[in-house]
Amino acid sequence: MTQRPTRLFRNASSKLALVPMITITLVVFVGCTLWTVLYSFTKSKSLPRLDFNGLDNYARLWKTSRWLVSIENIAIYGVLSMVLSLTLGFLLAALLDQKIRFEDTFRTILLYPFALSFIVTGLVWQWILNPDFGVQHVVRGLGFTSFEFDPLYNPEIVIYGILIAGLWQGTGLIMCIMLAGLRGIDEDIWKAARVDGIPMWKTYLYVVIPMMRPVFITAIVLIAAGIVKVYDLVVAQTSGGPGIASEVPAKYVYDYMFRGQNLGQGFAASTMMMLCVVIVLIPWAYLEFGGKKRG
Amino acid sequence: MADVTHALGVRAKAGPRGARPKPLFSRRNIMVYGTLGLVSLYYLLPLWVMVVTSLKGMPEIRLGNVFAPPVEITFQPWVKAWAEACTGLNCDGLSRGFFNSVRILIPSVICSIAVASVSGYALSMWKFRGSEVFFTILMIGAFVPYQIMIYPIVILLRELGLYGGLWGLVLVHTVFGLPILTLLFRNYFATVPEELFKAARVDGAGFWAIFFKIMMPMSLPIFVVALILQVTGIWNDFLFGVIYTKPDLYPMTVQLNNIVNSVQGVKEYNVNMAATLLTGLVPLTIYFISGKLFVRGIAAGAVKG
C-alpha cells in the first residue's frame, strides 16, 4: 500500500477544478458585497476612502426625494408585476393546458419577448406609447379626439407605462413555469374531480394551485429577483423621466456611483437594495431548506 | 379481447388521443381560442410595429398610423441603422456594436461554460467537505443585486489591468453566469447513474478522464441549453457593458440605447426601429431555432431539481 494521502490532498483534482469557482464565490460574491457594505459607512465621494461617518449616508439617502420616488416606484411596480405576472401567467398556462391545438405556436408567441433584451423592450414600448404617433394618436384618429393615453409623458402614471413593457417581456416565462407545473399534476386528480362533479375552476382553486406550491414559490422568487434588478428597462424607456418620476433604485445606484461622484450614496443605496433582497430571501430559504435536511 | 374492447370503451369516454370529432364552435373552444388569439395578437403587436415602422419613410410615419403596414417599402432605415447612425462622434452605425458584441460574446460564452461545467461536475461527483458550503454561497450570490458588487469589481479589474477592455468584461460575464450555469450542470450530472461513474473509477479513470471521455459526450444537450442561455443572456446585457467597457467597445445594446435616446438631431423613428429590430434579431433567431431547448433552458434554470 502506498503512502496514504493527507486529507488536504484527497480529491485533489476536484479541489483544483473548483479553485475558480471558490475564488469567485469568496472574492466577488462575498468579498465585494462586504466591501460595499463597509464603504457605505464612509465619506467616500469621488474615490472610495475609509473615513467613517456612521449612518450619515443612510440618513441622507432617506431624505433624498429621488430615492423616495425610486422606492415608491419599485414598490408599485413590484406589487403589480408580482400579482399580474402570477395571475396572467397562471391563467395563460391553464388555457394552454386545455389540450388545445397549436399549443406550441401559442407558447412560442407568448414567450418570444423573453428572448429580447430590456433595452429592445423599452425602446419598442417607448415608440408604441409615443403620444404623437402611437396608441393615443391612433385612437384619436378614430374619432375619440379627447382620448388621452401618454403614460411615458405623465409623471403620475409613468411607472404603469414601464409596467406594461415589463409584463409583456416577462409574463411568458412565468407562464412556461406554470405550464410545467400543471403538466406535473397527476391526470387522476382531474378524473377524480370530474367524477365528483366539481367544477373546473374549483378544482384549480382548491386542488391544483395548492399542489403547485413549489412552482409558485419558484415563480415568486424569480419575479422578485427580477423586480429588484429593474434598470435597463427604465433607462431605455424613459431614462428616469419625466423629471425623476420613473427613477428606480438600481438606476439611483448607478448614477451616484458612476455619474454623480457620490460613492457613499451609491454604496448606501445598493446596501439597502441588498437588504430588501435578504429580507425576501431568508423566509424563502427557510421554507425551502429549513425543515428538511437534504441528503 | 374483452379487456381490450373494455379499455377502448373507457378511453373513448375519458377522451381519446386521436382526432375525435369535436364540435368546432363549442362555447368552450371559442372562449379558449378567442382569448389565446387576442393575447397572441397583443404579444405580436410590438414586433409588428417594429417591422412596419422600420420599413416606412419618415414622411409616411409622420402622417400615418404606427400599426398600418407601409405603403411604400424602403430599406433605407435598415441601411442607415446598420452603417450610418451616429453615437457621439462615431457615425458608423450599429455595425460597430454588433461586432463588439460578437467579440465579447464568443470568449464569454466559452469561458463561462467551461468554468461552470467543470464546477458543476466536481460539485456533483467529487464532493468534499465544504464543497456544498461554497455552492450554497454561490446560489445566494445569484439573488443578490449586482449593484452591490459592481463598484469593487471596477477596482479589482483596474488592479488586474483589465478595466475598460474586452477581457475584463469577459471575466465579469463568467463570474455572473457562474451561479445559474453551475446549478444547471450540477443538477444534470447528478442524474447520471452512479454505476457508470464507479465503473469508470474501477477502470482507473481519474477526474479529468471521466469528465472529458464520459460526462461531456453524454451531456451534449445540457451544453446546448447552457449555450442558448448564455448567448441570449450576454447578448442582452446592458449594465455590465456600460460599466466595464469604453465607448469604442460598447456592446450592441448600449450602442442601440445611445443611438435611440440621443438628444441631438431630429428623431428618425424608422431608423430607431430598424436598429432595435437588428439588436433583437440575434436572440430572436436563437429562440425560434432552438424552440423547445430554449424553454428547457429557462425551465432548468428556474425549476431547480
Side-chain angles (χ1 to χ4, degrees), chain A residues 70-146:
Chain A
S70 306
I71 292 293
E72 196 194 328
N73 279 338
I74 206 71
I76 296 174
Y77 182 93
V79 169
L80 288 177
S81 109
M82 181 66 80
V83 172
L84 292 174
S85 303
L86 286 178
T87 324
L88 295 175
F90 183 80
L91 287 176
L92 289 173
L95 279 177
L96 281 187
D97 198 34
Q98 302 303 315
K99 300 198 174 64
I100 55 161
R101 277 192 223 178
F102 313 116
E103 185 197 315
D104 282 352
T105 316
F106 283 124
R107 204 196 47 217
T108 307
I109 292 172
L110 295 178
L111 189 61
Y112 89 89
F114 186 71
L116 295 171
S117 65
F118 279 122
I119 297 291
V120 169
T121 308
L123 294 177
V124 177
W125 282 96
Q126 184 193 58
W127 173 235
I128 294 178
L129 298 177
N130 184 319
D132 299 330
F133 301 98
V135 176
Q136 178 177 302
H137 174 77
V138 171
V139 176
R140 279 185 185 174
L142 294 175
F144 306 92
T145 42
S146 60

Side-chain angles (χ1 to χ4, degrees), chain A residues 5-291:
Chain A
T6 56
R7 276 267 307 276
L8 189 65
F9 293 105
R10 201 185 314 152
N11 235 340
S13 313
S14 172
K15 285 174 186 170
L16 201 66
L18 280 178
V19 164
M21 178 264 198
I22 290 173
T23 317
I24 288 171
T25 307
L26 290 182
V27 174
V28 179
F29 290 107
V30 178
C32 289
T33 305
L34 293 178
W35 189 98
T36 306
V37 175
L38 178 71
Y39 275 81
S40 73
F41 301 110
T42 68
K43 287 184 199 160
S44 306
K45 284 287 178 221
S46 60
L47 283 174
R49 57 196 176 106
L50 272 176
D51 187 358
F52 292 99
N53 63 354
L55 292 170
D56 278 11
N57 285 328
Y58 294 92
R60 201 171 308 149
L61 183 68
W62 286 100
K63 275 187 222 140
T64 312
S65 59
R66 186 174 157 191
W67 174 255
L68 296 174
V69 171
S70 306
I71 292 293
E72 196 194 328
N73 279 338
I74 206 71
I76 296 174
Y77 182 93
V79 169
L80 288 177
S81 109
M82 181 66 80
V83 172
L84 292 174
S85 303
L86 286 178
T87 324
L88 295 175
F90 183 80
L91 287 176
L92 289 173
L95 279 177
L96 281 187
D97 198 34
Q98 302 303 315
K99 300 198 174 64
I100 55 161
R101 277 192 223 178
F102 313 116
E103 185 197 315
D104 282 352
T105 316
F106 283 124
R107 204 196 47 217
T108 307
I109 292 172
L110 295 178
L111 189 61
Y112 89 89
F114 186 71
L116 295 171
S117 65
F118 279 122
I119 297 291
V120 169
T121 308
L123 294 177
V124 177
W125 282 96
Q126 184 193 58
W127 173 235
I128 294 178
L129 298 177
N130 184 319
D132 299 330
F133 301 98
V135 176
Q136 178 177 302
H137 174 77
V138 171
V139 176
R140 279 185 185 174
L142 294 175
F144 306 92
T145 42
S146 60
F147 178 79
E148 225 172 276
F149 187 65
D150 56 346
L152 301 187
Y153 292 84
N154 182 346
E156 298 287 313
I157 53 169
V158 62
I159 195 67
Y160 302 101
I162 291 169
L163 184 70
I164 292 176
L167 284 177
W168 178 75
Q169 205 260 1
T171 311
L173 169 71
I174 303 303
M175 179 210 72
C176 260
I177 293 170
M178 297 280 183
L179 190 57
L182 283 172
R183 292 283 147 83
I185 301 282
D186 199 334
E187 191 71 16
D188 289 348
I189 289 182
W190 282 110
K191 281 184 191 150
R194 215 172 298 147
V195 169
D196 288 347
I198 302 168
M200 194 186 237
W201 64 271
K202 266 193 174 169
T203 316
Y204 270 118
L205 207 58
Y206 296 113
V207 182
V208 174
I209 291 181
M211 284 178 77
M212 279 172 62
R213 222 194 97 203
V215 179
F216 270 89
I217 291 177
T218 310
I220 289 171
V221 169
L222 273 182
I223 301 170
I227 290 167
V228 183
K229 288 175 185 166
V230 172
Y231 170 73
D232 336 12
L233 189 60
V234 175
V235 169
Q237 220 179 339
T238 64
S239 317
I244 56 165
S246 60
E247 291 289 345
V248 285
K251 190 163 174 297
Y252 187 94
V253 171
Y254 176 82
D255 286 353
Y256 276 89
M257 277 185 191
F258 296 99
R259 290 189 176 167
Q261 306 285 309
N262 194 342
L263 289 174
Q265 281 293 295
F267 295 153
S270 61
T271 308
M272 291 308 310
M273 283 177 72
M274 191 192 67
L275 214 59
C276 294
V277 173
V278 170
I279 289 170
V280 177
L281 214 57
I282 286 177
W284 172 67
Y286 185 77
L287 282 174
E288 193 86 331
F289 307 107

Side-chain angles (χ1 to χ4, degrees), chain B residues 137-210:
Chain B
I137 300 175
L138 191 69
M139 284 304 104
I140 295 170
F143 290 106
V144 172
Y146 301 140
Q147 277 73 18
I148 197 146
M149 296 172 251
I150 50 183
Y151 198 84
I153 292 176
V154 169
I155 298 178
L156 283 175
L157 289 178
R158 201 179 284 145
E159 292 297 315
L160 292 168
L162 296 174
Y163 181 57
L166 175 70
W167 289 101
L169 188 58
V170 171
L171 197 62
V172 171
H173 279 307
T174 308
V175 166
F176 287 108
L178 195 59
I180 192 79
L181 290 185
T182 307
L183 178 74
L184 191 74
F185 280 109
R186 174 180 168 273
N187 287 352
Y188 186 83
F189 289 134
T191 62
V192 173
E194 210 178 342
E195 287 73 29
L196 200 73
F197 176 71
K198 280 186 179 152
R201 297 274 342 243
V202 169
D203 287 345
F207 183 89
W208 296 109
I210 295 179

Side-chain angles (χ1 to χ4, degrees), chain B residues 18 30 74 86 138 200 221 227 253 261-262 271 296:
Chain B
I30 294 174
T74 163
C86 294
L138 191 69
L227 188 75
T253 47
N261 282 327
S262 77
V271 177
R296 203 177 140 194

